[in-house]
Amino acid sequence: MLKHINPTKTSSWKDLQAHFLEIKDKSIKDHFRNNSGRVEELSRQFNDIYLDFSKNHLTKETVGLLVKLASELSLNEAIQAMKAGEKINEREGRAVLHTALRSKEDEIRMNGQNLIPLVRKELDHVKVIANDIQSGRWIGHTGKRIKHLVNIGIGGSDLGPQMVCNALKPYWKNITPHFLSNIDASHWEEIKENIHPEETIFIIASKTFTTDETMTNAQTVRTWFLNQLGSQEALRKHFIAISTNLEEVENFGIPKENILGFWDWVGGRFSLWSSIGLSIACTIGWSNFEAILDGAREMDDHFFSEDFDKNLPVLLALISIWQVNFWGYSSKAILPYDHNLRDLPRFLQQLLMESNGKQMDRTGKRITYSTCPVLFGEPGTNGQHAFFQLLHQGTDIIPSDFIVAAVASHSQEQHHSKLLSNCFAQSEALMDGQVSDDPFRNFDGNRPSNTLVIKELLPRNLGSLIALYEHQVFVQGVVWNIYSFDQWGVELGKQLAKKINNKEASSNSSTNELLNKVQSFRS
Ligand code: F6P
């Protein structure tokens, strides 16, 4: 189990506080001036991912102290506990084993049961369906080839598959994916315009199979579909479900052979590697999906075995701790300079904020230090023409993660050269600033960032990148002494929405008045 250590009570935390006081008045530029070897010291590479963290308020000594903090907080033991299938998601009594989904080991046990045969069986099912759909062997009820898929899910059952499909657009073959998530029917109306029921497969993706948005959308789509094709039998050729709640899926009327399972030891936001990845495998083909799993596994092996000071996820997490808890930065910008990675900020919002946006520590005491920063972002260069003003001259300092591929996923070299130039120019401008006599044109600089350069946005490298951020979440949670794998904070709103929708009177006069106003506007 994870230990319950308040990080602020450790000697390493105190050392870091003292160290902060020593270096806080030095600018990042000063650090560069004082050390010609700074970039080599403060950059690391694993496979095709290079991390430059030299443009931060830190030195080699800072890294050493942060690594000491991780050790004092038993990070290694925590990693082993996760790997060993201990129920480290204690508040839900569950293990956390998304890494088993991409493992090549023959045996990963939980409660004495080997999980690997279960994983392989479900992934084999994904493979068969993906191959059948891609090759045209799977044909629709009226004999037509499947050309579209609609993934009906939300949160972890939507964001990961959607982000990956869009990131790997150059690999799309024969199938166009659509992602239906919002309970606002405009979303469905929009998708409906671009598909035809005879050529479309609907994948209902829901870990619990009780999520209101997904169930409401699934019912609406089913009714529409039956109205169009008129036969219950047609569902067999067009509806697939993925869930841990097999009973509910059968109640919905999905035939057994079209049901894919996964397990409660896979968190929704960590589930794209499971059968939840079906929409990815159908869109880019099984071998490319497998390459994503391979890349993630390589990052897992690196995370599990590499020394902390060379370990990319550990370093990324420790740098964020340094920024949040010592420098007091409460936001973070995620800036992929890659149109295909445009959904990465949204995906990471759920991954990080739903995991680590917590106020209770592992003993149930209210935390007195900050935890997860607010994440936001946009792909470059679009963000430059929207919120970068604030990054450069706003009153708050917001650390950024710049992410860019060295090799473009298209052949327009001139565009890519400009994209790369903009990416590197921005991190340099944020750090270096520019002195001007005109105060309005002055750039203070000294604004921190990481830059991740990926050789090329191949499926394998994307898998590694996602796993990198997944493990960052885990390390942050260990340090902050919180439970990262539950999400109780989303429950209250769901309950109230149900009550309001059932017309139960609210005790809140503002809510009641809003409902009255809606009624009067609608009458
Ligand atoms: O918003 C809460 C949440 O439970 C997420 O954690 C999850 O990814 C999402 O809803 C969807 O849940 P499900 O896959 O069970 O429909």
Side-chain angles (χ1 to χ4, degrees), residues 141-427:
H141 181 61
T142 57
K144 292 207 169 143
R145 196 180 168 137
I146 300 299
K147 291 191 185 149
H148 295 267
L149 74 79
V150 179
N151 186 88
I152 309 173
I154 198 164
S157 301
D158 166 70
L159 292 166
Q162 184 169 194
M163 183 272 287
V164 170
C165 282
N166 286 335
L168 298 176
K169 180 92 194 275
Y171 297 84
W172 289 14
K173 225 178 99 195
N174 302 329
I175 299 291
T176 304
H178 308 263
F179 291 87
L180 173 58
S181 54
N182 202 325
I183 202 157
D184 182 342
S186 305
H187 196 177
W188 167 233
E189 297 287 331
E190 185 183 279
I191 290 174
K192 203 166 70 176
E193 276 178 19
N194 297 307
I195 58 168
H196 194 284
E198 292 171 87
E199 299 172 340
T200 305
I201 199 120
F202 298 92
I203 300 173
I204 310 172
S206 175
K207 182 174 167 178
T208 55
F209 226 73
T210 57
T211 303
D212 197 26
E213 292 90 335
T214 302
M215 291 303 103
T216 306
N217 278 327
Q219 292 288 2
T220 301
V221 172
R222 185 171 72 166
T223 307
W224 169 83
F225 178 84
L226 289 174
N227 283 341
Q228 302 270 315
L229 289 198
S231 141
Q232 197 74 24
E233 178 54 26
L235 289 180
R236 188 178 298 277
K237 293 283 186 192
H238 294 268
F239 278 72
I240 297 176
I242 307 160
S243 186
T244 58
N245 187 350
L246 302 185
E247 213 182 302
E248 276 301 317
V249 180
E250 283 190 49
N251 291 341
F252 186 87
I254 305 274
K256 260 204 169 78
E257 64 272 21
N258 287 6
I259 304 176
L260 288 89
F262 66 116
W263 311 272
D264 70 4
W265 41 266
V266 180
R269 50 195 175 273
F270 298 85
S271 66
L272 70 91
W273 325 96
S274 71
S275 43
I276 287 287
L278 179 66
S279 49
I280 306 172
C282 290
T283 304
I284 61 172
W286 171 258
S287 59
N288 288 322
F289 182 68
E290 220 177 10
I292 303 174
L293 299 180
D294 289 343
R297 187 183 54 255
E298 285 163 10
M299 185 56 75
D300 295 341
D301 293 344
H302 167 77
F303 175 58
F304 291 152
S305 60
E306 188 53 274
D307 291 344
F308 291 164
D309 76 341
K310 297 190 206 86
N311 191 315
L312 259 54
V314 172
L315 287 168
L316 216 50
L318 292 175
I319 293 164
S320 73
I321 303 285
W322 178 240
Q323 292 168 338
V324 169
N325 300 106
F326 296 87
W327 288 85
Y329 304 147
S330 56
S331 313
K332 169 113 197 182
I334 302 290
L335 308 169
Y337 271 64
D338 195 314
H339 175 70
N340 290 344
L341 280 179
R342 62 191 173 281
D343 296 324
L344 186 68
R346 296 197 302 139
F347 169 75
L348 292 183
Q349 278 176 333
Q350 189 201 14
L351 188 68
L352 278 95
M353 291 159 79
E354 198 172 74
S355 300
N356 288 339
K358 307 278 167 70
Q359 61 184 7
M360 290 297 162
D361 73 10
R362 287 198 282 268
T363 66
K365 275 209 208 91
R366 194 173 288 272
I367 285 170
T368 53
Y369 44 88
S370 296
T371 57
C372 192
V374 176
L375 261 81
F376 68 99
E378 269 293 310
T381 58
N382 295 3
Q384 291 175 201
H385 302 271
F387 55 82
F388 271 48
Q389 162 65 39
L390 183 146
L391 295 187
H392 287 285
Q393 289 186 319
T395 49
D396 285 347
I397 293 193
I398 301 178
S400 310
D401 278 1
F402 288 90
I403 302 158
V404 70
V407 178
S409 45
H410 53 75
S411 54
Q412 307 272 357
E413 269 314 312
Q414 195 201 4
H415 282 255
H416 198 57
S417 164
K418 288 188 177 184
L419 183 82
L420 283 160
S421 310
N422 271 279
C423 177
F424 300 148
Q426 288 296 331
S427 64

